[in-house]
Every structure is written in structure tokens, then in C-alpha cells.
């Protein structure tokens, strides 16, 4: 079972692929689209399009574009858009986010939990800068260290200390790169726990319902490994911040 299939199973009941509750997502999107009657939103690493579909449902005069490497996730996004009656307002591209270009800029660019596609936060900001309209907004979500990571936390994440900084340093880097945070949200412990229990529980339940599937053992192993890494490693150590940014 490849990584993309595991991810689709893991997010079956938590389509926002980040530790954010529905209320937090709604509040962030409301602030991100406020004051713009008509606009275009772009999600770099959109997965099944959860952020874009919620934007279109709330803003009937907006259009959206999603970019992702997972063809099956894009198919699911298109099916959901059809069911919601917004499919004519969304364009989906099976493409590496780094290769995406557009003739017209976007009023809102999103990259929440997908900065790895650009090898980090600052390269993500650089890519978004080229796609954002003057006065536009960027929603970007990134990890940070809530406390000094133990070796168990680093091993669980497959990370090194330098992969993240604390919240203050992360914010300072954003500011130094020419962006101003105009809103933001730090995921709570409950949001993290809900996300991780969903991430590990959804594949495990799928295995219980499909014990004879050829991928059952791989899915169970992925869920068990992730649960151990979280509970015995990075729980309470890795934080997640979603910034709403505007260019200076």
C-alpha cells in the first residue's frame, strides 16, 4: 500500500489533513475571504479539496483551483464538488505543486500541512508570492516545537531538531521574509488528539472491516507505527500553527 493510499484512509473521517477542528477551519476561511465579494482561491497540495470545497460552499461567487500529485484524491474532490453543486467553479490539476503556474493571480493561496512539497516554510512563501494578487492573502500551516524535542520525538517524526523552530522563531522568520500575520490559529491539544486518533483509527477500522484485503497488513502496520510514534514520541512536543498572511 503506497503512501498516498495510506493518507486517503487516514483522512477518511478527517478530510482536513491537519490538526484543525471544523470550527477553526471555518473561522480561518471566513477571515481569509472577508471583504472580497468575488475571488479565486488556490490550494497547493489540496488532497481531496476540503479547504477549497468549503470556500466555494460559503462563497458562491468565488472560484477555486487545486493542485496535487494524488490522482485518486483529486477524483474524490471532483466527485464531492459535483455532489455539492460547485464542480463548475473548481479546476483540479494532477501536478507537482512546484510546477504549477497561472496566467492570473489569486486572491487567496493556501498551503496547510503541505509545505513539505516545497521543502519547507520559506520556499513555500516564495512560491506563494509569485501566485498571489496584490492585497491577497495566504493561509499557510506549519509545524513548530512546543518544547525541546526528545530523541523519541525526533525518531517518531523522522525529523531532526533543525526541521522546525519554536513558535516565536517561526513567526520571526515569516516577518523577516516580508509577510505580516493578520490572523492565525495554534492548534490545541484536543485538535491534535482528535486528528491523531482519527489518523490512526480510520485505517485500523478499515482493516477490521476488510481483514482479507491484500493491503490489510500494510494498513494495520502503518496505523500502529503512527500511533506509537505519536503517543510515545512527539505528543505535546510538535505544535501546528496556521497563519493568515499578507505581503508587506
Amino acid at each position: 500500500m503506497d503512501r498516498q493510499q495510506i493518507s486517503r484512509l487516514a483522512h477518511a473521517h478527517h478530510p482536513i489533513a491537519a490538526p484543525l477542528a471544523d470550527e477553526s477551519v471555518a473561522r480561518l476561511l471566513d477571515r481569509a475571504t472577508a471583504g472580497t465579494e468575488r475571488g479565486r482561491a488556490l490550494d497547493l497540495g489540496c488532497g481531496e479539496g476540503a479547504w477549497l470545497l468549503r470556500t466555494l460552499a460559503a462563497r458562491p461567487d468565488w472560484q477555486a483551483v487545486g493542485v496535487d500529485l494524488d490522482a485518486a484524491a483529486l477524483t474524490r474532490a471532483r466527485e464531492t464538488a459535483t455532489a455539492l453543486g460547485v464542480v463548475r467553479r473548481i479546476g483540479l490539476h494532477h501536478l507537482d505543486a512546484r510546477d504549477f503556474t497561472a496566467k492570473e493571480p489569486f486572491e487567496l493561496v493556501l498551503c496547510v500541512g503541505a509545505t513539505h512539497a516545497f521543502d519547507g516554510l520559506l520556499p513555500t512563501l516564495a512560491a506563494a508570492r509569485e501566485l498571489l494578487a496584490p492585497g491577497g492573502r495566504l493561509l499557510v500551516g506549519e509545524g513548530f516545537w512546543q518544547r525541546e524535542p526528545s530523541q523519541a520525538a525526533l525518531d517518531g517524526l523522522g525529523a531532526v531538531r533543525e526541521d522546525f523552530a519554536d513558535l516565536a522563531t517561526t513567526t520571526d522568520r515569516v516577518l523577516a521574509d516580508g509577510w505580516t500575520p493578520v490572523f492565525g490559529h495554534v492548534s490545541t491539544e484536543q485538535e491534535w488528539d482528535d486528528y491523531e486518533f482519527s489518523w490512526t483509527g480510520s485505517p485500523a477500522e478499515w482493516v477490521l472491516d476488510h481483514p482479507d484485503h491484500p493491503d490489510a497488513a500494510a494498513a494495520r502496520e502503518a496505523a500502529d507505527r503512527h500511533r506509537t510514534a505519536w503517543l510515545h514520541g512527539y505528543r505535546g512536543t510538535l505544535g501546528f500553527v496556521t497563519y493568515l498572511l499578507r505581503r508587506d
Side-chain angles (χ1 to χ4, degrees), residues 44-236:
L44 298 166
C46 68
E48 295 184 10
W51 287 91
L52 295 180
L53 294 172
R54 295 180 191 210
T55 300
L56 295 179
R59 302 289 183 182
D61 292 324
W62 275 63
Q63 297 181 334
V65 173
V67 182
D68 204 277
L69 278 172
D70 188 345
L74 294 176
T75 297
R76 185 77 61 83
R78 188 172 291 106
E79 291 171 349
T80 306
T82 300
L84 292 173
V86 300
V87 70
R88 293 186 178 181
R89 292 193 282 131
I90 190 169
L92 298 167
H93 300 268
H94 183 215
L95 188 69
D96 190 314
R98 294 172 296 182
D99 297 329
F100 178 78
T101 59
K103 294 180 180 179
E104 297 180 19
F106 295 84
E107 283 69 34
L108 173 61
V109 175
L110 305 98
C111 187
V112 181
T115 59
H116 57 271
F118 298 93
D119 297 323
L121 177 60
L122 294 182
T124 301
L125 298 182
R129 185 180 290 113
E130 300 302 314
L131 296 163
L132 201 61
R137 294 165 177 150
L138 168 64
L139 263 179
V140 60
E142 177 70 327
F144 69 91
W145 296 128
Q146 292 190 139
R147 63 186 182 190
E148 190 65 24
S150 65
Q151 191 58 51
L154 295 173
D155 291 344
L157 292 165
V160 296
R161 173 66 178 80
E162 294 73 25
D163 283 344
F164 302 105
D166 61 25
L167 180 60
T169 302
T170 303
T171 305
D172 287 345
R173 291 173 179 172
V174 170
L175 288 162
D177 199 52
W179 298 84
T180 296
V182 296
F183 189 56
H185 175 77
V186 174
S187 295
T188 66
E189 185 174 348
Q190 180 177 340
E191 285 178 307
W192 262 113
D193 287 350
D194 287 349
Y195 175 65
E196 296 289 13
F197 271 122
S198 185
W199 201 110
T200 57
S202 293
E205 187 169 41
W206 179 84
V207 171
L208 294 174
D209 291 337
H210 303 84
D212 298 324
H213 194 284
D215 289 328
R220 183 58 184 260
E221 193 275 334
D224 291 346
R225 183 176 66 248
H226 191 111
R227 187 186 306 105
T228 298
W230 163 49
L231 291 174
H232 295 277
Y234 61 84
R235 183 175 186 264

